[in-house]
């Protein structure tokens, strides 16, 4: 009985950490394109200003 509870705890811990890693990866992958897009946009804006 006690061992079973321990297993459940361990399982929950592993699942939680996996979920955290997944969400972190999601954040990571969603932040990078946004930064790239912002960089692209700002360089375009500056080029436009220079051309004027």
């Amino acid at each position: 009985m006690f061992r079973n509870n321990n297993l459940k705890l361990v399982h929950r811990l592993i699942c939680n950490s996996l979920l955290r890693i997944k969400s972190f990866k999601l954040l990571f992958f969603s932040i990078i394109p946004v930064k790239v897009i912002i960089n692209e946009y700002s360089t375009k804006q500056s080029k436009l200003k220079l051309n004027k």
Side-chain angles (χ1 to χ4, degrees):
M1 190 71 189
F2 177 69
R3 201 162 78 202
N4 198 19
N5 274 346
N6 256 1
L7 276 177
K8 277 183 187 171
L9 271 177
V10 168
H11 182 254
R12 197 177 293 164
L13 272 176
I14 290 173
C15 281
N16 278 349
S17 55
L18 278 178
L19 271 176
R20 277 201 195 116
I21 289 171
K22 271 188 181 174
S23 60
F24 179 74
K25 274 187 179 173
L26 265 181
L27 271 176
F28 194 67
F29 282 122
S30 59
I31 283 173
I32 284 183
V34 164
K35 278 191 173 179
V36 167
I37 288 170
I38 287 174
N39 276 342
E40 288 278 312
Y41 183 73
S42 57
T43 52
K44 275 182 186 171
Q45 288 292 102
S46 56
K47 277 180 187 171
L48 276 175
K49 281 177 185 167
L50 281 175
N51 283 342
K52 280 180 183 176

mmCIF file of all heavy atoms in Angstrom:
data_model
loop_
_atom_site.group_PDB
_atom_site.id
_atom_site.type_symbol
_atom_site.label_atom_id
_atom_site.label_comp_id
_atom_site.label_asym_id
_atom_site.label_seq_id
_atom_site.Cartn_x
_atom_site.Cartn_y
_atom_site.Cartn_z
ATOM 1 N N MET A 1 0.837 -1.197 0.000
ATOM 2 C CA MET A 1 0.000 0.000 0.000
ATOM 3 C C MET A 1 0.879 1.257 0.000
ATOM 4 O O MET A 1 0.709 2.149 -0.825
ATOM 5 C CB MET A 1 -0.897 -0.019 1.247
ATOM 6 C CG MET A 1 -1.978 1.047 1.232
ATOM 7 S SD MET A 1 -3.242 0.608 -0.004
ATOM 8 C CE MET A 1 -4.208 2.094 -0.006
ATOM 9 N N PHE A 2 1.838 1.268 0.890
ATOM 10 C CA PHE A 2 2.716 2.433 1.003
ATOM 11 C C PHE A 2 3.533 2.601 -0.274
ATOM 12 O O PHE A 2 3.706 3.701 -0.774
ATOM 13 C CB PHE A 2 3.629 2.269 2.213
ATOM 14 C CG PHE A 2 4.609 3.408 2.358
ATOM 15 C CD1 PHE A 2 4.150 4.667 2.701
ATOM 16 C CD2 PHE A 2 5.962 3.216 2.150
ATOM 17 C CE1 PHE A 2 5.032 5.715 2.838
ATOM 18 C CE2 PHE A 2 6.848 4.265 2.277
ATOM 19 C CZ PHE A 2 6.387 5.517 2.635
ATOM 20 N N ARG A 3 4.019 1.465 -0.787
ATOM 21 C CA ARG A 3 4.827 1.528 -1.997
ATOM 22 C C ARG A 3 3.987 2.054 -3.166
ATOM 23 O O ARG A 3 4.442 2.831 -3.987
ATOM 24 C CB ARG A 3 5.375 0.139 -2.326
ATOM 25 C CG ARG A 3 6.598 0.235 -3.220
ATOM 26 C CD ARG A 3 7.378 -1.048 -3.196
ATOM 27 N NE ARG A 3 6.751 -2.055 -4.040
ATOM 28 C CZ ARG A 3 6.954 -3.359 -3.887
ATOM 29 N NH1 ARG A 3 7.720 -3.811 -2.928
ATOM 30 N NH2 ARG A 3 6.367 -4.214 -4.698
ATOM 31 N N ASN A 4 2.763 1.616 -3.211
ATOM 32 C CA ASN A 4 1.869 2.063 -4.265
ATOM 33 C C ASN A 4 1.697 3.578 -4.212
ATOM 34 O O ASN A 4 1.729 4.253 -5.233
ATOM 35 C CB ASN A 4 0.517 1.361 -4.114
ATOM 36 C CG ASN A 4 -0.300 1.433 -5.384
ATOM 37 O OD1 ASN A 4 0.237 1.680 -6.459
ATOM 38 N ND2 ASN A 4 -1.591 1.235 -5.255
ATOM 39 N N ASN A 5 1.521 4.114 -3.011
ATOM 40 C CA ASN A 5 1.385 5.562 -2.857
ATOM 41 C C ASN A 5 2.648 6.261 -3.333
ATOM 42 O O ASN A 5 2.586 7.297 -3.981
ATOM 43 C CB ASN A 5 1.112 5.912 -1.388
ATOM 44 C CG ASN A 5 -0.388 5.842 -1.079
ATOM 45 O OD1 ASN A 5 -1.211 5.787 -1.989
ATOM 46 N ND2 ASN A 5 -0.725 5.845 0.183
ATOM 47 N N ASN A 6 3.779 5.698 -2.992
ATOM 48 C CA ASN A 6 5.045 6.289 -3.419
ATOM 49 C C ASN A 6 5.126 6.320 -4.939
ATOM 50 O O ASN A 6 5.536 7.318 -5.526
ATOM 51 C CB ASN A 6 6.220 5.461 -2.860
ATOM 52 C CG ASN A 6 6.856 6.178 -1.678
ATOM 53 O OD1 ASN A 6 6.421 7.247 -1.291
ATOM 54 N ND2 ASN A 6 7.889 5.582 -1.131
ATOM 55 N N LEU A 7 4.736 5.226 -5.543
ATOM 56 C CA LEU A 7 4.764 5.164 -7.007
ATOM 57 C C LEU A 7 3.867 6.242 -7.601
ATOM 58 O O LEU A 7 4.232 6.903 -8.564
ATOM 59 C CB LEU A 7 4.298 3.783 -7.481
ATOM 60 C CG LEU A 7 5.384 2.703 -7.491
ATOM 61 C CD1 LEU A 7 4.796 1.379 -7.903
ATOM 62 C CD2 LEU A 7 6.515 3.108 -8.418
ATOM 63 N N LYS A 8 2.715 6.414 -6.991
ATOM 64 C CA LYS A 8 1.797 7.439 -7.497
ATOM 65 C C LYS A 8 2.435 8.813 -7.394
ATOM 66 O O LYS A 8 2.344 9.629 -8.314
ATOM 67 C CB LYS A 8 0.492 7.418 -6.686
ATOM 68 C CG LYS A 8 -0.491 6.373 -7.166
ATOM 69 C CD LYS A 8 -1.783 6.475 -6.371
ATOM 70 C CE LYS A 8 -2.695 5.312 -6.735
ATOM 71 N NZ LYS A 8 -3.870 5.275 -5.827
ATOM 72 N N LEU A 9 3.082 9.064 -6.274
ATOM 73 C CA LEU A 9 3.743 10.358 -6.074
ATOM 74 C C LEU A 9 4.818 10.579 -7.126
ATOM 75 O O LEU A 9 4.898 11.638 -7.744
ATOM 76 C CB LEU A 9 4.375 10.414 -4.675
ATOM 77 C CG LEU A 9 3.465 10.930 -3.558
ATOM 78 C CD1 LEU A 9 4.183 10.866 -2.229
ATOM 79 C CD2 LEU A 9 2.997 12.341 -3.860
ATOM 80 N N VAL A 10 5.633 9.551 -7.324
ATOM 81 C CA VAL A 10 6.719 9.666 -8.299
ATOM 82 C C VAL A 10 6.141 9.910 -9.688
ATOM 83 O O VAL A 10 6.600 10.765 -10.430
ATOM 84 C CB VAL A 10 7.586 8.384 -8.277
ATOM 85 C CG1 VAL A 10 8.526 8.371 -9.471
ATOM 86 C CG2 VAL A 10 8.371 8.313 -6.977
ATOM 87 N N HIS A 11 5.106 9.160 -10.001
ATOM 88 C CA HIS A 11 4.468 9.306 -11.312
ATOM 89 C C HIS A 11 3.955 10.729 -11.499
ATOM 90 O O HIS A 11 4.146 11.345 -12.542
ATOM 91 C CB HIS A 11 3.321 8.300 -11.417
ATOM 92 C CG HIS A 11 2.640 8.333 -12.744
ATOM 93 N ND1 HIS A 11 1.396 8.894 -12.896
ATOM 94 C CD2 HIS A 11 3.032 7.887 -13.964
ATOM 95 C CE1 HIS A 11 1.052 8.794 -14.172
ATOM 96 N NE2 HIS A 11 2.013 8.183 -14.832
ATOM 97 N N ARG A 12 3.340 11.261 -10.458
ATOM 98 C CA ARG A 12 2.803 12.613 -10.543
ATOM 99 C C ARG A 12 3.926 13.626 -10.738
ATOM 100 O O ARG A 12 3.825 14.548 -11.545
ATOM 101 C CB ARG A 12 2.021 12.928 -9.261
ATOM 102 C CG ARG A 12 1.098 14.115 -9.417
ATOM 103 C CD ARG A 12 0.294 14.353 -8.163
ATOM 104 N NE ARG A 12 -0.651 13.286 -7.917
ATOM 105 C CZ ARG A 12 -1.272 13.085 -6.741
ATOM 106 N NH1 ARG A 12 -1.001 13.865 -5.729
ATOM 107 N NH2 ARG A 12 -2.118 12.103 -6.605
ATOM 108 N N LEU A 13 4.998 13.422 -10.002
ATOM 109 C CA LEU A 13 6.148 14.331 -10.117
ATOM 110 C C LEU A 13 6.697 14.318 -11.547
ATOM 111 O O LEU A 13 6.956 15.358 -12.138
ATOM 112 C CB LEU A 13 7.253 13.906 -9.144
ATOM 113 C CG LEU A 13 7.156 14.492 -7.738
ATOM 114 C CD1 LEU A 13 8.236 13.916 -6.848
ATOM 115 C CD2 LEU A 13 7.248 16.010 -7.787
ATOM 116 N N ILE A 14 6.861 13.120 -12.079
ATOM 117 C CA ILE A 14 7.402 12.988 -13.439
ATOM 118 C C ILE A 14 6.468 13.662 -14.439
ATOM 119 O O ILE A 14 6.902 14.421 -15.300
ATOM 120 C CB ILE A 14 7.605 11.501 -13.779
ATOM 121 C CG1 ILE A 14 8.758 10.942 -12.942
ATOM 122 C CG2 ILE A 14 7.893 11.339 -15.263
ATOM 123 C CD1 ILE A 14 8.917 9.446 -13.100
ATOM 124 N N CYS A 15 5.182 13.418 -14.291
ATOM 125 C CA CYS A 15 4.212 14.016 -15.218
ATOM 126 C C CYS A 15 4.276 15.538 -15.129
ATOM 127 O O CYS A 15 4.270 16.225 -16.142
ATOM 128 C CB CYS A 15 2.802 13.536 -14.877
ATOM 129 S SG CYS A 15 2.493 11.883 -15.511
ATOM 130 N N ASN A 16 4.350 16.048 -13.914
ATOM 131 C CA ASN A 16 4.408 17.500 -13.730
ATOM 132 C C ASN A 16 5.645 18.082 -14.387
ATOM 133 O O ASN A 16 5.576 19.090 -15.077
ATOM 134 C CB ASN A 16 4.405 17.845 -12.233
ATOM 135 C CG ASN A 16 2.996 17.839 -11.662
ATOM 136 O OD1 ASN A 16 2.025 17.783 -12.402
ATOM 137 N ND2 ASN A 16 2.896 17.886 -10.362
ATOM 138 N N SER A 17 6.757 17.452 -14.171
ATOM 139 C CA SER A 17 7.997 17.984 -14.750
ATOM 140 C C SER A 17 7.947 17.904 -16.276
ATOM 141 O O SER A 17 8.385 18.822 -16.964
ATOM 142 C CB SER A 17 9.216 17.237 -14.208
ATOM 143 O OG SER A 17 9.084 15.857 -14.411
ATOM 144 N N LEU A 18 7.381 16.829 -16.798
ATOM 145 C CA LEU A 18 7.257 16.702 -18.248
ATOM 146 C C LEU A 18 6.373 17.810 -18.799
ATOM 147 O O LEU A 18 6.684 18.434 -19.799
ATOM 148 C CB LEU A 18 6.659 15.335 -18.613
ATOM 149 C CG LEU A 18 7.652 14.171 -18.650
ATOM 150 C CD1 LEU A 18 6.926 12.885 -18.965
ATOM 151 C CD2 LEU A 18 8.752 14.434 -19.661
ATOM 152 N N LEU A 19 5.274 18.066 -18.102
ATOM 153 C CA LEU A 19 4.364 19.123 -18.534
ATOM 154 C C LEU A 19 5.081 20.463 -18.520
ATOM 155 O O LEU A 19 4.940 21.269 -19.433
ATOM 156 C CB LEU A 19 3.148 19.177 -17.610
ATOM 157 C CG LEU A 19 1.985 18.276 -18.008
ATOM 158 C CD1 LEU A 19 0.888 18.354 -16.964
ATOM 159 C CD2 LEU A 19 1.455 18.644 -19.368
ATOM 160 N N ARG A 20 5.857 20.683 -17.470
ATOM 161 C CA ARG A 20 6.588 21.959 -17.371
ATOM 162 C C ARG A 20 7.561 22.094 -18.530
ATOM 163 O O ARG A 20 7.667 23.150 -19.140
ATOM 164 C CB ARG A 20 7.355 22.019 -16.040
ATOM 165 C CG ARG A 20 6.468 22.470 -14.911
ATOM 166 C CD ARG A 20 7.278 23.017 -13.741
ATOM 167 N NE ARG A 20 6.433 23.099 -12.577
ATOM 168 C CZ ARG A 20 6.614 22.402 -11.466
ATOM 169 N NH1 ARG A 20 7.640 21.597 -11.363
ATOM 170 N NH2 ARG A 20 5.795 22.516 -10.464
ATOM 171 N N ILE A 21 8.276 21.016 -18.812
ATOM 172 C CA ILE A 21 9.250 21.056 -19.905
ATOM 173 C C ILE A 21 8.534 21.337 -21.224
ATOM 174 O O ILE A 21 8.974 22.154 -22.026
ATOM 175 C CB ILE A 21 10.025 19.721 -19.966
ATOM 176 C CG1 ILE A 21 10.967 19.621 -18.762
ATOM 177 C CG2 ILE A 21 10.814 19.635 -21.267
ATOM 178 C CD1 ILE A 21 11.597 18.241 -18.641
ATOM 179 N N LYS A 22 7.403 20.681 -21.425
ATOM 180 C CA LYS A 22 6.639 20.889 -22.656
ATOM 181 C C LYS A 22 6.198 22.339 -22.768
ATOM 182 O O LYS A 22 6.352 22.964 -23.810
ATOM 183 C CB LYS A 22 5.404 19.978 -22.672
ATOM 184 C CG LYS A 22 5.674 18.625 -23.274
ATOM 185 C CD LYS A 22 4.366 17.874 -23.431
ATOM 186 C CE LYS A 22 4.619 16.491 -24.009
ATOM 187 N NZ LYS A 22 3.371 15.702 -24.036
ATOM 188 N N SER A 23 5.646 22.880 -21.693
ATOM 189 C CA SER A 23 5.171 24.263 -21.750
ATOM 190 C C SER A 23 6.341 25.217 -21.930
ATOM 191 O O SER A 23 6.238 26.219 -22.631
ATOM 192 C CB SER A 23 4.374 24.612 -20.494
ATOM 193 O OG SER A 23 5.183 24.457 -19.356
ATOM 194 N N PHE A 24 7.480 24.887 -21.319
ATOM 195 C CA PHE A 24 8.658 25.741 -21.481
ATOM 196 C C PHE A 24 9.108 25.735 -22.937
ATOM 197 O O PHE A 24 9.407 26.769 -23.507
ATOM 198 C CB PHE A 24 9.780 25.252 -20.572
ATOM 199 C CG PHE A 24 11.038 26.063 -20.711
ATOM 200 C CD1 PHE A 24 11.100 27.331 -20.176
ATOM 201 C CD2 PHE A 24 12.130 25.561 -21.392
ATOM 202 C CE1 PHE A 24 12.238 28.090 -20.310
ATOM 203 C CE2 PHE A 24 13.280 26.309 -21.532
ATOM 204 C CZ PHE A 24 13.330 27.575 -20.983
ATOM 205 N N LYS A 25 9.117 24.551 -23.522
ATOM 206 C CA LYS A 25 9.513 24.451 -24.930
ATOM 207 C C LYS A 25 8.547 25.259 -25.785
ATOM 208 O O LYS A 25 8.956 25.973 -26.696
ATOM 209 C CB LYS A 25 9.501 22.989 -25.372
ATOM 210 C CG LYS A 25 10.807 22.277 -25.070
ATOM 211 C CD LYS A 25 10.804 20.886 -25.685
ATOM 212 C CE LYS A 25 12.105 20.161 -25.418
ATOM 213 N NZ LYS A 25 12.048 18.769 -25.862
ATOM 214 N N LEU A 26 7.268 25.142 -25.468
ATOM 215 C CA LEU A 26 6.265 25.907 -26.226
ATOM 216 C C LEU A 26 6.558 27.390 -26.119
ATOM 217 O O LEU A 26 6.587 28.099 -27.119
ATOM 218 C CB LEU A 26 4.866 25.607 -25.668
ATOM 219 C CG LEU A 26 4.069 24.527 -26.373
ATOM 220 C CD1 LEU A 26 2.717 24.376 -25.718
ATOM 221 C CD2 LEU A 26 3.917 24.823 -27.839
ATOM 222 N N LEU A 27 6.785 27.845 -24.899
ATOM 223 C CA LEU A 27 7.101 29.256 -24.687
ATOM 224 C C LEU A 27 8.332 29.640 -25.489
ATOM 225 O O LEU A 27 8.354 30.653 -26.182
ATOM 226 C CB LEU A 27 7.367 29.501 -23.195
ATOM 227 C CG LEU A 27 6.147 29.861 -22.346
ATOM 228 C CD1 LEU A 27 6.550 29.965 -20.889
ATOM 229 C CD2 LEU A 27 5.531 31.154 -22.815
ATOM 230 N N PHE A 28 9.335 28.802 -25.364
ATOM 231 C CA PHE A 28 10.601 29.064 -26.039
ATOM 232 C C PHE A 28 10.385 29.213 -27.540
ATOM 233 O O PHE A 28 10.844 30.170 -28.157
ATOM 234 C CB PHE A 28 11.546 27.898 -25.742
ATOM 235 C CG PHE A 28 12.970 28.179 -26.093
ATOM 236 C CD1 PHE A 28 13.689 29.117 -25.397
ATOM 237 C CD2 PHE A 28 13.579 27.475 -27.118
ATOM 238 C CE1 PHE A 28 15.008 29.371 -25.720
ATOM 239 C CE2 PHE A 28 14.894 27.722 -27.444
ATOM 240 C CZ PHE A 28 15.614 28.668 -26.742
ATOM 241 N N PHE A 29 9.642 28.260 -28.105
ATOM 242 C CA PHE A 29 9.447 28.269 -29.556
ATOM 243 C C PHE A 29 8.498 29.365 -30.002
ATOM 244 O O PHE A 29 8.505 29.753 -31.152
ATOM 245 C CB PHE A 29 8.932 26.908 -30.025
ATOM 246 C CG PHE A 29 10.027 25.875 -30.097
ATOM 247 C CD1 PHE A 29 9.943 24.707 -29.374
ATOM 248 C CD2 PHE A 29 11.137 26.100 -30.878
ATOM 249 C CE1 PHE A 29 10.962 23.760 -29.436
ATOM 250 C CE2 PHE A 29 12.151 25.166 -30.948
ATOM 251 C CZ PHE A 29 12.058 23.994 -30.222
ATOM 252 N N SER A 30 7.654 29.851 -29.110
ATOM 253 C CA SER A 30 6.762 30.937 -29.511
ATOM 254 C C SER A 30 7.442 32.281 -29.314
ATOM 255 O O SER A 30 7.123 33.244 -29.988
ATOM 256 C CB SER A 30 5.448 30.878 -28.731
ATOM 257 O OG SER A 30 5.715 30.974 -27.353
ATOM 258 N N ILE A 31 8.402 32.352 -28.395
ATOM 259 C CA ILE A 31 9.102 33.619 -28.150
ATOM 260 C C ILE A 31 10.094 33.902 -29.269
ATOM 261 O O ILE A 31 10.205 35.031 -29.733
ATOM 262 C CB ILE A 31 9.830 33.559 -26.778
ATOM 263 C CG1 ILE A 31 8.811 33.752 -25.653
ATOM 264 C CG2 ILE A 31 10.906 34.635 -26.710
ATOM 265 C CD1 ILE A 31 9.413 33.534 -24.295
ATOM 266 N N ILE A 32 10.794 32.877 -29.738
ATOM 267 C CA ILE A 32 11.829 33.087 -30.759
ATOM 268 C C ILE A 32 11.257 33.685 -32.046
ATOM 269 O O ILE A 32 11.762 34.700 -32.510
ATOM 270 C CB ILE A 32 12.596 31.773 -31.023
ATOM 271 C CG1 ILE A 32 13.567 31.522 -29.882
ATOM 272 C CG2 ILE A 32 13.341 31.855 -32.353
ATOM 273 C CD1 ILE A 32 14.421 30.298 -30.091
ATOM 274 N N PRO A 33 10.201 33.135 -32.636
ATOM 275 C CA PRO A 33 9.664 33.731 -33.861
ATOM 276 C C PRO A 33 9.203 35.172 -33.637
ATOM 277 O O PRO A 33 9.386 36.021 -34.500
ATOM 278 C CB PRO A 33 8.480 32.834 -34.220
ATOM 279 C CG PRO A 33 8.709 31.561 -33.493
ATOM 280 C CD PRO A 33 9.491 31.912 -32.274
ATOM 281 N N VAL A 34 8.633 35.429 -32.470
ATOM 282 C CA VAL A 34 8.172 36.791 -32.194
ATOM 283 C C VAL A 34 9.356 37.744 -32.195
ATOM 284 O O VAL A 34 9.306 38.820 -32.783
ATOM 285 C CB VAL A 34 7.437 36.829 -30.829
ATOM 286 C CG1 VAL A 34 7.298 38.251 -30.331
ATOM 287 C CG2 VAL A 34 6.083 36.141 -30.955
ATOM 288 N N LYS A 35 10.437 37.329 -31.578
ATOM 289 C CA LYS A 35 11.636 38.184 -31.552
ATOM 290 C C LYS A 35 12.154 38.391 -32.972
ATOM 291 O O LYS A 35 12.525 39.501 -33.358
ATOM 292 C CB LYS A 35 12.726 37.534 -30.694
ATOM 293 C CG LYS A 35 12.531 37.802 -29.222
ATOM 294 C CD LYS A 35 13.760 37.375 -28.451
ATOM 295 C CE LYS A 35 13.641 37.800 -26.998
ATOM 296 N NZ LYS A 35 14.798 37.394 -26.210
ATOM 297 N N VAL A 36 12.179 37.323 -33.737
ATOM 298 C CA VAL A 36 12.666 37.429 -35.121
ATOM 299 C C VAL A 36 11.787 38.392 -35.913
ATOM 300 O O VAL A 36 12.282 39.259 -36.626
ATOM 301 C CB VAL A 36 12.683 36.029 -35.770
ATOM 302 C CG1 VAL A 36 12.868 36.154 -37.272
ATOM 303 C CG2 VAL A 36 13.775 35.180 -35.155
ATOM 304 N N ILE A 37 10.485 38.244 -35.751
ATOM 305 C CA ILE A 37 9.551 39.105 -36.475
ATOM 306 C C ILE A 37 9.756 40.559 -36.068
ATOM 307 O O ILE A 37 9.793 41.464 -36.902
ATOM 308 C CB ILE A 37 8.093 38.654 -36.196
ATOM 309 C CG1 ILE A 37 7.815 37.333 -36.927
ATOM 310 C CG2 ILE A 37 7.112 39.740 -36.632
ATOM 311 C CD1 ILE A 37 6.515 36.705 -36.531
ATOM 312 N N ILE A 38 9.916 40.784 -34.770
ATOM 313 C CA ILE A 38 10.127 42.155 -34.276
ATOM 314 C C ILE A 38 11.418 42.717 -34.859
ATOM 315 O O ILE A 38 11.471 43.862 -35.303
ATOM 316 C CB ILE A 38 10.151 42.163 -32.735
ATOM 317 C CG1 ILE A 38 8.734 41.963 -32.203
ATOM 318 C CG2 ILE A 38 10.739 43.476 -32.222
ATOM 319 C CD1 ILE A 38 8.687 41.812 -30.708
ATOM 320 N N ASN A 39 12.451 41.907 -34.888
ATOM 321 C CA ASN A 39 13.723 42.357 -35.457
ATOM 322 C C ASN A 39 13.555 42.716 -36.930
ATOM 323 O O ASN A 39 14.013 43.760 -37.376
ATOM 324 C CB ASN A 39 14.785 41.263 -35.312
ATOM 325 C CG ASN A 39 15.451 41.289 -33.944
ATOM 326 O OD1 ASN A 39 15.372 42.289 -33.236
ATOM 327 N ND2 ASN A 39 16.091 40.211 -33.586
ATOM 328 N N GLU A 40 12.896 41.830 -37.662
ATOM 329 C CA GLU A 40 12.662 42.082 -39.085
ATOM 330 C C GLU A 40 11.899 43.386 -39.266
ATOM 331 O O GLU A 40 12.269 44.233 -40.069
ATOM 332 C CB GLU A 40 11.829 40.937 -39.680
ATOM 333 C CG GLU A 40 12.599 39.662 -39.836
ATOM 334 C CD GLU A 40 13.421 39.661 -41.108
ATOM 335 O OE1 GLU A 40 12.866 39.995 -42.168
ATOM 336 O OE2 GLU A 40 14.606 39.326 -41.024
ATOM 337 N N TYR A 41 10.863 43.541 -38.489
ATOM 338 C CA TYR A 41 10.023 44.724 -38.608
ATOM 339 C C TYR A 41 10.828 45.990 -38.310
ATOM 340 O O TYR A 41 10.759 46.971 -39.049
ATOM 341 C CB TYR A 41 8.848 44.590 -37.634
ATOM 342 C CG TYR A 41 7.873 45.730 -37.740
ATOM 343 C CD1 TYR A 41 7.011 45.832 -38.833
ATOM 344 C CD2 TYR A 41 7.816 46.698 -36.745
ATOM 345 C CE1 TYR A 41 6.120 46.879 -38.936
ATOM 346 C CE2 TYR A 41 6.925 47.752 -36.842
ATOM 347 C CZ TYR A 41 6.080 47.836 -37.937
ATOM 348 O OH TYR A 41 5.207 48.870 -38.033
ATOM 349 N N SER A 42 11.598 45.958 -37.238
ATOM 350 C CA SER A 42 12.358 47.158 -36.860
ATOM 351 C C SER A 42 13.418 47.486 -37.914
ATOM 352 O O SER A 42 13.629 48.645 -38.232
ATOM 353 C CB SER A 42 12.992 46.973 -35.479
ATOM 354 O OG SER A 42 13.817 45.828 -35.476
ATOM 355 N N THR A 43 14.054 46.459 -38.476
ATOM 356 C CA THR A 43 15.057 46.751 -39.514
ATOM 357 C C THR A 43 14.369 47.326 -40.744
ATOM 358 O O THR A 43 14.860 48.270 -41.358
ATOM 359 C CB THR A 43 15.840 45.479 -39.903
ATOM 360 O OG1 THR A 43 14.930 44.440 -40.218
ATOM 361 C CG2 THR A 43 16.744 45.037 -38.782
ATOM 362 N N LYS A 44 13.206 46.811 -41.094
ATOM 363 C CA LYS A 44 12.467 47.346 -42.241
ATOM 364 C C LYS A 44 12.094 48.803 -41.982
ATOM 365 O O LYS A 44 12.234 49.650 -42.852
ATOM 366 C CB LYS A 44 11.197 46.520 -42.480
ATOM 367 C CG LYS A 44 11.448 45.293 -43.328
ATOM 368 C CD LYS A 44 10.155 44.532 -43.585
ATOM 369 C CE LYS A 44 10.446 43.235 -44.319
ATOM 370 N NZ LYS A 44 9.251 42.380 -44.397
ATOM 371 N N GLN A 45 11.629 49.066 -40.778
ATOM 372 C CA GLN A 45 11.238 50.424 -40.428
ATOM 373 C C GLN A 45 12.423 51.373 -40.549
ATOM 374 O O GLN A 45 12.309 52.452 -41.110
ATOM 375 C CB GLN A 45 10.687 50.468 -38.996
ATOM 376 C CG GLN A 45 9.323 49.830 -38.841
ATOM 377 C CD GLN A 45 8.256 50.630 -39.549
ATOM 378 O OE1 GLN A 45 7.838 50.257 -40.639
ATOM 379 N NE2 GLN A 45 7.829 51.717 -38.946
ATOM 380 N N SER A 46 13.553 50.957 -40.023
ATOM 381 C CA SER A 46 14.735 51.822 -40.064
ATOM 382 C C SER A 46 15.185 52.034 -41.520
ATOM 383 O O SER A 46 15.583 53.117 -41.911
ATOM 384 C CB SER A 46 15.866 51.232 -39.229
ATOM 385 O OG SER A 46 16.178 49.927 -39.663
ATOM 386 N N LYS A 47 15.101 50.983 -42.321
ATOM 387 C CA LYS A 47 15.477 51.118 -43.739
ATOM 388 C C LYS A 47 14.539 52.097 -44.441
ATOM 389 O O LYS A 47 14.947 52.932 -45.235
ATOM 390 C CB LYS A 47 15.417 49.744 -44.431
ATOM 391 C CG LYS A 47 16.677 48.935 -44.225
ATOM 392 C CD LYS A 47 16.575 47.583 -44.924
ATOM 393 C CE LYS A 47 17.769 46.705 -44.567
ATOM 394 N NZ LYS A 47 17.599 45.328 -45.039
ATOM 395 N N LEU A 48 13.258 51.993 -44.107
ATOM 396 C CA LEU A 48 12.278 52.904 -44.700
ATOM 397 C C LEU A 48 12.606 54.340 -44.330
ATOM 398 O O LEU A 48 12.579 55.232 -45.171
ATOM 399 C CB LEU A 48 10.871 52.550 -44.213
ATOM 400 C CG LEU A 48 10.164 51.432 -44.973
ATOM 401 C CD1 LEU A 48 8.836 51.109 -44.306
ATOM 402 C CD2 LEU A 48 9.956 51.815 -46.426
ATOM 403 N N LYS A 49 12.937 54.545 -43.071
ATOM 404 C CA LYS A 49 13.279 55.891 -42.613
ATOM 405 C C LYS A 49 14.514 56.396 -43.340
ATOM 406 O O LYS A 49 14.589 57.569 -43.735
ATOM 407 C CB LYS A 49 13.525 55.887 -41.100
ATOM 408 C CG LYS A 49 12.239 55.887 -40.306
ATOM 409 C CD LYS A 49 12.523 55.811 -38.818
ATOM 410 C CE LYS A 49 11.214 55.681 -38.030
ATOM 411 N NZ LYS A 49 11.478 55.293 -36.642
ATOM 412 N N LEU A 50 15.486 55.516 -43.530
ATOM 413 C CA LEU A 50 16.720 55.915 -44.208
ATOM 414 C C LEU A 50 16.428 56.275 -45.668
ATOM 415 O O LEU A 50 16.981 57.227 -46.201
ATOM 416 C CB LEU A 50 17.744 54.765 -44.152
ATOM 417 C CG LEU A 50 18.493 54.621 -42.838
ATOM 418 C CD1 LEU A 50 19.378 53.377 -42.878
ATOM 419 C CD2 LEU A 50 19.359 55.854 -42.588
ATOM 420 N N ASN A 51 15.538 55.523 -46.296
ATOM 421 C CA ASN A 51 15.226 55.780 -47.692
ATOM 422 C C ASN A 51 14.518 57.126 -47.871
ATOM 423 O O ASN A 51 14.682 57.800 -48.875
ATOM 424 C CB ASN A 51 14.345 54.641 -48.259
ATOM 425 C CG ASN A 51 15.184 53.403 -48.555
ATOM 426 O OD1 ASN A 51 16.387 53.487 -48.651
ATOM 427 N ND2 ASN A 51 14.520 52.273 -48.690
ATOM 428 N N LYS A 52 13.720 57.510 -46.907
ATOM 429 C CA LYS A 52 13.025 58.791 -46.987
ATOM 430 C C LYS A 52 14.040 59.896 -46.768
ATOM 431 O O LYS A 52 14.171 60.815 -47.495
ATOM 432 C CB LYS A 52 11.953 58.878 -45.908
ATOM 433 C CG LYS A 52 10.706 58.121 -46.309
ATOM 434 C CD LYS A 52 9.670 58.230 -45.209
ATOM 435 C CE LYS A 52 8.422 57.417 -45.541
ATOM 436 N NZ LYS A 52 7.461 57.436 -44.443
#
